Amino acid sequence: MMNYKKINANQIKHIDFEEVSFIDHFMEKNFNISTIQLMEIAGFQISQFITSLKKINTILIVCGKGNNGGDGLVAARYLAAKGYQVEIYLIDSKKKYINITKSQLNSLKNYPITFHRKFPNHIKFDLIVDAILGSGIKSNLKDNIKKIVELINDASSKCLSVDVPTGISTETSIKSTYTLTFALPKKIFQTKHKQCGNIFIADIG
């Protein structure tokens, strides 16, 4: 089990979304650290964080079709292997998921994980993981994503957002219990921290 401690926000550098993209490309170009490697580490860190929480057994992971969703799918694999009851809601059809995220989907075929075609708002989960959209979003949410955000916010479950709450820079946002962000906190947290709940930082190398 890993320990997560609070850090004074003024003691650490914050980066904006454009810098996140630059760092990702820089790591791949200069250090041969691929996106799929970072995804694997991020998913592992998500699973480790969840195992540090108390009274969590049933988990719904809501996955977008991009890298944020891929992080959630990797976490699902680790959590299922640890014996958690993991269920997944894909916000779109499998064929629309990008290549590296689709490969993570394929790796789950033989795991005891339930996939939902519709958002299972009739089921009470101990934790909902928001792995819908990360720092790459640059416009308002589409109507179908807004509806999912509203369903998550209306649920009585605790919510963990992956990297940033979905829609944090728009008019409709997930209101998280926890946000597990990667490498460095994001500048938007300074003005939108109430949507994030308790913010934790995970090292992804």
Side-chain angles (χ1 to χ4, degrees):
M1 182 180 293
M2 302 181 70
N3 293 320
Y4 295 84
K5 61 182 180 180
K6 290 185 178 181
I7 300 173
N8 189 319
N10 296 324
Q11 295 176 335
I12 190 167
K13 175 181 172 60
H14 289 58
I15 58 175
D16 58 32
F17 291 163
E18 287 72 23
E19 289 173 303
V20 173
S21 180
F22 172 81
I23 291 169
D24 284 347
H25 289 111
F26 182 86
M27 292 299 293
E28 186 161 11
K29 181 179 178 181
N30 294 277
F31 295 96
N32 294 316
I33 303 296
S34 68
T35 301
I36 200 161
Q37 284 176 284
L38 294 175
M39 184 178 289
E40 185 69 24
I41 301 168
F44 175 74
Q45 289 282 37
I46 295 165
S47 72
Q48 290 293 92
F49 177 77
I50 291 173
T51 60
S52 75
L53 301 175
K54 296 179 180 179
K55 298 181 180 179
I56 301 295
N57 182 49
T58 58
I59 303 166
L60 175 68
I61 304 180
V62 185
C63 296
K65 56 189 177 181
N67 292 351
N68 201 251
D71 296 343
L73 293 170
V74 173
R77 172 159 43 85
Y78 282 106
L79 290 166
K82 291 174 185 288
Y84 287 88
Q85 181 184 322
V86 179
E87 303 187 20
I88 292 175
Y89 171 58
L90 303 176
I91 67 167
D92 222 321
S93 62
K94 291 183 179 181
K95 63 183 180 181
K96 292 186 178 180
Y97 279 64
I98 65 171
N99 288 338
I100 59 173
T101 301
K102 189 177 291 184
S103 72
Q104 301 296 354
L105 263 176
N106 292 335
S107 72
L108 295 177
K109 286 181 179 179
N110 295 319
Y111 281 79
I113 293 174
T114 300
F115 283 83
H116 294 276
R117 292 186 176 183
K118 294 182 178 180
F119 187 88
N121 59 335
H122 60 289
I123 303 174
K124 171 68 167 66
F125 296 93
D126 298 326
L127 182 72
I128 296 176
V129 178
D130 158 31
I132 306 171
L133 293 170
S135 57
I137 184 171
K138 296 179 174 63
S139 60
N140 285 331
L141 300 179
K142 294 179 180 179
D143 288 343
N144 65 316
I145 304 296
K146 282 184 180 180
K147 180 62 177 176
I148 296 168
V149 167
E150 290 168 357
L151 288 169
I152 293 173
N153 286 340
D154 288 343
S156 57
S157 308
K158 294 179 179 179
C159 178
L160 165 65
S161 284
V162 173
D163 201 26
V164 298
T166 291
I168 189 171
S169 57
T170 73
E171 59 188 22
T172 306
S173 171
I174 294 279
K175 294 177 176 62
S176 308
T177 313
Y178 319 98
T179 296
L180 185 66
T181 200
F182 303 126
L184 290 164
K186 311 308 180 280
K187 286 182 179 176
I188 199 165
F189 293 166
Q190 295 172 324
T191 55
K192 300 281 189 176
H193 58 274
K194 289 184 179 179
Q195 283 116 292
C196 301
N198 291 318
I199 300 171
F200 299 84
I201 302 170
D203 179 14
I204 56 169

